[in-house]
Amino acid sequence: MLGPVIAGLYGTVLPAFGHLPAAGLTGPTLDPFRSLFDWGGLGAAVRLSVTTGVLATGLSLLIVSFIVAGWSGTRSFRVLERLLSPLLSVPHAAAAFGLAFLIVPSGWLARMTSPWLTGWDRPPDVLIVQDPLGLAMVAGLVVKEVPFLLLMMIAAMGQAQPRRSLLVAQALGYGRVTGWLKTVFPRVYAQIRLPVYVVIGYSMSVVDVAVILGPSTPPTLSVQIVKWMSDPDLAMRLTGAAAALLQFALVVGVLVAWWLGERVVAALGRRWIASGRRGQTDTPGRVLGLWFGALSALSILLGLASLLVWSFAARWTFPNVLPDGFTLRSWDRHGPSAIATMGETFVIAGAAVGLALVLVLGCLEAEHRGGRQFGQRGLLLLYLPLLVPQTAFLPGLQTMLLSIGADMGQMPVVFAHLVFVLPYVFLSLGDPWRSWDARNATVAQALGASPWRVFWAVRLPMLTRPVLTALAVGVAVSVGQYLATLLIGGGRVSTLTTEAVALSSGGDRRAIGVYGLLQTLAALVPFTVALIVPTILWRNRRGLHD
Amino acid sequence: MTNGLTLRNVCILRAGSPLIEVDHVIAPGEVLTVMGPSGVGKSTLLAFITGTLAPAFKGMGTVELDGQDITHVPPHRRQIGILFQDDLLFPHMSVGANLAFGMPAGGSRAERRATIEAALDDVELAGYADRDPATLSGGQKARVALVRMLLSKPRALLLDEAFSRLDAELRAQVRDLVFRTARDRALPVLMVTHDAEDAAAAGGTLITLESLTKT
């Protein structure tokens, strides 16, 4: 998967220095950078990208740490975990729309508190969504990254044996949160460092969430890059490529700064641990953690509910909490084309995920037969497409595809999706696949089964559930892809995500409701299937249900 | 030609230093017991014989079965049966399907089914073919695992702590069944155990492995 990333970066570097033979331009020249630095909004756009990315990552990590520190192993924690895991698959765009519907001046929050609390009988004229500081965008990112980091942290904790450490710490007189932060967090953080970096890279360069919730004058750097890249004037592409390089440098810079920050925090943390202070701040930490965790889960759930309500709403006067009437009109009007788009979404997702699964299974099986795992370096390689900002290499990939004339139809989009689907399928399937008891293979071989028979007749059926879950993860990732579909599809391939985001500027909430809802369903249904199919398939096989 | 299982100058190395050395002939119907502290590499020896040695190890010497050198034969063509301490019945197959999995291909459906029924009957599990293995008791699972292995027509039998998960009474029963069957079918048996009672019940030669690597 390095190929497309490197090709993409290469395809970004050339036009950034004025070399775009397809447009009859040959470099090298610094003009693209000159026109980039001439753009008045550059400072604000750069500042926005950095602040929203860092703020969203920091807040998510903080919330997740306090939830896990204060509550892991308790019943509330399991409830929260159950609540948050399915939310992981809700596409970013749908979550962002839902959040927007909640917090806009005419949204549910205002309606629920008006007029008895606020005194408003018409929506107040304040800018909440698309605020110039990008706070709404940060909120939109946090609600989606909290489930991601939480699940990553839970997975990492399995290996760290947190219960014992916490017991020892508590026996030594430490409170729950302090004890956890001092004994478990350092080990767990080392495990989730790469996912955290992924969140940073993603948050700094996200496009769909920024279009929906972020400011527009100027927008974040990524959004501006996409604008340039889709400008009919080919010269603007050069500026876009230069900006993409800047974006790449920004992410690298922030990652380095974050890495340095880790050292500082570690040094301070060591001093804190050595101080032996038992910490009195346990209760507020626990309460805040749980509140924010519940808040992020609730805002996605309520947001999705408001998408649902809007899609069936007839007239809806302010400040009524529910519409004045319900109607199927929006579904009649947008349903058929949305369903057709859903079909195309699934075709692309199916192809990308199918390819990914074949590659991942091949890789894991080769690893099993060769008897060696790939280590930390392999993991980094796997994460690379997720770390490199999409806005830095996708425009380059698009330019490259254009120049070799391979820019038509769904196939290039499928391959672009594969770049992002593959790592997630691998991460999802790798652990269960490797923890399968290899003595099963020894026994099967001793019974005369060839390696392929072991694979098809023993290993794959025994791992039905994780394989289906990995498929569902892959579909959710593919369904949620915005930039890859938009740029590589050249505007001729549309999925539910690109359609929904395209609607955001029009502000037709009923249409957004229809598309956002279908988008969520497209991501969630595979997870339901992954839960139900093994249950039915193995209904008489108790050994497969623990 | 030597019948039985021959381990000729077998030496297993880990990171270049020798871990175990065995040179022994197990005649048909005989049991060789290998004892030794855990971590000495007993299971590694079995992995070498089944052909599933992890790449971290290097095996030297030859394994011969009924006079044929099988050191480089792929695991699934060796015809060496193995029982672990866990039954390792495939959880997604019925008891009968587990047995059919191990049987050499051939014969009509009815014939195969009849063979399975008869084999289950031999270990007092008649009528269990359609059961879910997860619903069986520990002793029943152990017997199914044994039958599955025997139906695959092995020419030698390896036991990797095969009885250590069973409680005392069951253990003696299953152990007697395994040894009796092996004797009846003239199978050479290599048993790895840390239990002196197992060794006594086997009655054959006993070798005790010692750690060759100084730690």
Side-chain angles (χ1 to χ4, degrees):
Chain A
M1 281 300 108
L2 270 181
V5 179
I6 291 175
L9 285 177
Y10 182 68
T12 307
V13 170
L14 290 188
F17 291 97
H19 192 77
L20 190 64
L25 300 163
T26 44
T29 147
L30 285 176
D31 288 347
F33 283 99
R34 248 170 245 133
S35 76
L36 171 65
F37 290 118
D38 283 346
W39 177 51
L42 186 67
V46 165
R47 198 163 51 239
L48 263 176
S49 289
V50 174
T51 51
T52 49
V54 172
L55 213 58
T57 312
L59 274 177
S60 309
L61 186 62
L62 206 65
I63 292 171
V64 167
S65 302
F66 273 99
I67 298 175
V68 178
W71 300 91
S72 64
T74 67
R75 184 189 291 188
S76 328
F77 186 72
R78 272 194 298 278
V79 171
L80 201 61
E81 186 190 342
R82 280 231 184 101
L83 211 61
L84 286 173
S85 351
L87 297 186
L88 187 58
S89 63
V90 174
H92 274 88
F97 276 127
L99 187 72
F101 283 11
L102 283 187
I103 60 175
V104 287
S106 59
W108 250 359
L109 278 185
R111 286 168 185 272
M112 282 180 206
T113 49
S114 300
W116 55 274
L117 181 66
T118 58
W120 298 331
D121 48 13
R122 66 182 62 182
D125 191 17
V126 287
L127 192 66
I128 296 180
V129 164
Q130 306 192 325
D131 61 296
L133 285 179
L135 294 181
M137 180 184 163
V138 169
L141 287 169
V142 167
V143 296
K144 268 299 288 170
E145 299 312 339
V146 162
F148 175 68
L149 285 180
L150 185 70
L151 292 182
M152 284 293 165
M153 201 176 261
I154 290 172
M157 293 230 304
Q159 297 157 25
Q161 303 199 319
R163 202 170 294 259
R164 289 196 213 168
S165 308
L166 197 56
L167 266 175
V168 172
Q170 283 178 320
L172 292 171
Y174 284 92
R176 211 193 147 85
V177 174
T178 316
W180 191 89
L181 286 176
K182 285 188 175 184
T183 62
V184 183
F185 183 76
R187 276 176 292 158
V188 168
Y189 185 79
Q191 299 257 344
I192 63 160
R193 176 181 281 141
L194 280 174
V196 169
Y197 291 178
V198 168
V199 172
I200 295 176
Y202 179 85
S203 305
M204 283 185 66
S205 59
V206 65
V207 175
D208 47 357
V209 177
V211 167
I212 297 165
L213 291 173
S216 48
T217 45
T220 63
L221 188 56
S222 305
V223 175
Q224 187 60 39
I225 293 174
V226 175
K227 275 191 189 154
W228 279 324
M229 290 315 288
S230 28
D231 199 294
D233 178 3
L234 282 176
M236 294 314 282
R237 281 176 186 254
L238 303 185
T239 315
L245 273 195
L246 177 63
Q247 170 80 264
F248 183 59
L250 275 181
V251 171
V252 170
V254 168
L255 284 178
V256 169
W258 186 278
W259 185 80
L260 290 173
E262 282 174 7
R263 315 281 111 171
V264 174
V265 171
L268 291 176
R270 271 194 294 272
R271 198 178 294 175
W272 184 49
I273 292 173
S275 75
R277 269 190 298 235
R278 285 346 192 215
Q280 304 301 320
T281 51
D282 258 31
T283 318
R286 289 187 76 182
V287 171
L288 274 181
L290 193 66
W291 263 96
F292 275 107
L295 195 65
S296 86
L298 272 184
S299 30
I300 299 186
L301 288 175
L302 278 179
L304 292 179
S306 78
L307 289 179
L308 180 73
V309 173
W310 267 112
S311 76
F312 287 104
R315 244 179 81 81
W316 194 351
T317 38
F318 193 86
N320 294 345
V321 172
L322 285 178
D324 309 345
F326 288 95
T327 166
L328 283 173
R329 211 176 51 221
S330 310
W331 286 93
D332 281 341
R333 187 179 301 161
H334 305 290
S337 65
I339 301 278
T341 313
M342 196 174 186
E344 188 162 12
T345 308
F346 275 134
V347 167
I348 293 170
V353 174
L355 277 173
L357 191 69
V358 170
L359 291 173
V360 167
L361 285 178
C363 207
L364 286 168
E365 185 64 11
E367 193 184 274
H368 164 68
R369 290 186 198 172
R372 44 179 64 88
Q373 283 202 10
F374 59 82
Q376 203 65 27
R377 194 170 297 172
L379 206 60
L380 193 67
L381 226 62
L382 201 59
Y383 267 104
L384 205 69
L386 308 180
L387 282 173
V388 176
Q390 300 188 14
T391 29
F393 76 92
L394 282 176
L397 199 58
Q398 180 204 23
T399 315
M400 291 261 289
L401 288 173
L402 265 175
S403 63
I404 58 169
D407 61 320
M408 47 263 203
Q410 293 178 335
M411 274 328 276
V413 176
V414 167
F415 280 107
H417 279 209
L418 183 63
V419 174
F420 301 99
V421 168
L422 186 78
Y424 283 107
V425 171
F426 199 106
L427 292 173
S428 159
L429 193 53
D431 279 344
W433 192 268
R434 287 171 182 148
S435 59
W436 181 74
D437 188 345
R439 291 179 310 166
N440 282 303
T442 307
V443 165
Q445 285 185 300
L447 293 171
S450 66
W452 281 114
R453 184 147 180 250
V454 174
F455 176 82
W456 288 111
V458 181
R459 193 163 202 175
L460 211 50
M462 281 178 77
L463 294 170
T464 314
R465 202 178 280 277
V467 167
L468 288 178
T469 307
L471 282 178
V473 169
V475 172
V477 170
S478 169
V479 167
Q481 287 302 319
Y482 173 68
L483 199 58
T485 320
L486 185 75
L487 287 182
I488 307 298
R492 285 187 300 271
V493 177
S494 55
T495 61
L496 288 171
T497 301
T498 56
E499 292 294 292
V501 177
L503 284 170
S504 77
S505 55
D508 179 350
R509 294 199 191 159
R510 292 173 180 82
I512 292 175
V514 169
Y515 275 91
L517 213 57
L518 284 182
Q519 195 201 7
T520 309
L521 279 182
L524 275 179
V525 166
F527 276 97
T528 322
V529 172
L531 273 181
I532 294 174
V533 165
T535 312
I536 297 177
L537 201 58
W538 307 124
R539 64 190 172 283
N540 292 325
R541 296 286 175 258
R542 250 179 32 200
L544 289 166
H545 296 295
D546 1 296
Chain B
M1 174 173 128
T2 331
N3 273 330
L5 182 63
T6 308
L7 305 178
R8 199 181 300 284
N9 298 322
V10 168
C11 176
I12 296 174
L13 309 167
R14 179 172 52 197
S17 57
L19 191 66
I20 6 175
E21 285 173 352
V22 178
D23 185 44
H24 198 89
V25 180
I26 312 168
E30 233 179 52
V31 182
L32 168 69
T33 305
V34 176
M35 290 190 74
S38 59
V40 76
K42 295 175 304 219
S43 296
T44 313
L45 176 64
L46 297 189
F48 179 62
I49 300 171
T50 54
T52 51
L53 199 62
F57 300 96
K58 187 170 158 38
M60 301 196 311
T62 54
V63 182
E64 288 162 29
L65 189 53
D66 296 336
Q68 177 202 354
D69 182 353
I70 58 162
T71 320
H72 301 289
V73 172
H76 63 282
R77 301 239 173 79
R78 294 192 178 199
Q79 289 186 282
I80 293 182
I82 183 163
L83 291 180
F84 289 99
Q85 57 179 328
D86 300 293
D87 54 81
L88 295 174
L89 296 176
F90 304 128
H92 58 295
M93 301 180 187
S94 66
V95 168
N98 261 285
L99 301 188
F101 181 90
M103 283 166 65
S108 71
R109 273 173 66 119
E111 281 166 11
R112 290 175 73 83
R113 178 84 193 184
T115 313
I116 289 170
E117 296 286 357
L120 284 172
D121 196 26
D122 283 346
V123 292
E124 290 154 32
L125 287 172
Y128 274 66
D130 292 324
R131 288 279 292 268
D132 173 6
T135 62
L136 269 51
S137 73
Q140 290 171 332
K141 285 183 195 164
R143 278 179 279 161
V144 174
L146 172 67
V147 171
R148 176 176 70 173
M149 200 253 309
L150 293 173
L151 282 181
S152 74
K153 303 245 163 63
R155 293 192 289 160
L157 175 49
L158 308 180
L159 304 173
D160 190 354
E161 308 273 4
F163 316 116
S164 61
R165 282 280 171 91
L166 303 169
D167 57 47
E169 194 186 340
L170 209 54
R171 188 181 182 123
Q173 267 180 35
V174 174
R175 191 168 53 203
D176 288 343
L177 178 65
V178 171
F179 289 147
R180 196 171 60 234
T181 319
R183 245 190 327 273
D184 291 350
R185 305 197 177 199
L187 292 175
V189 178
L190 174 61
M191 173 169 71
V192 155
T193 183
H194 60 262
D195 184 278
E197 226 180 281
D198 284 349
T205 320
L206 170 73
I207 36 181
T208 307
L209 290 180
E210 277 156 38
S211 185
L212 291 175
T213 44
K214 301 274 188 294
T215 46

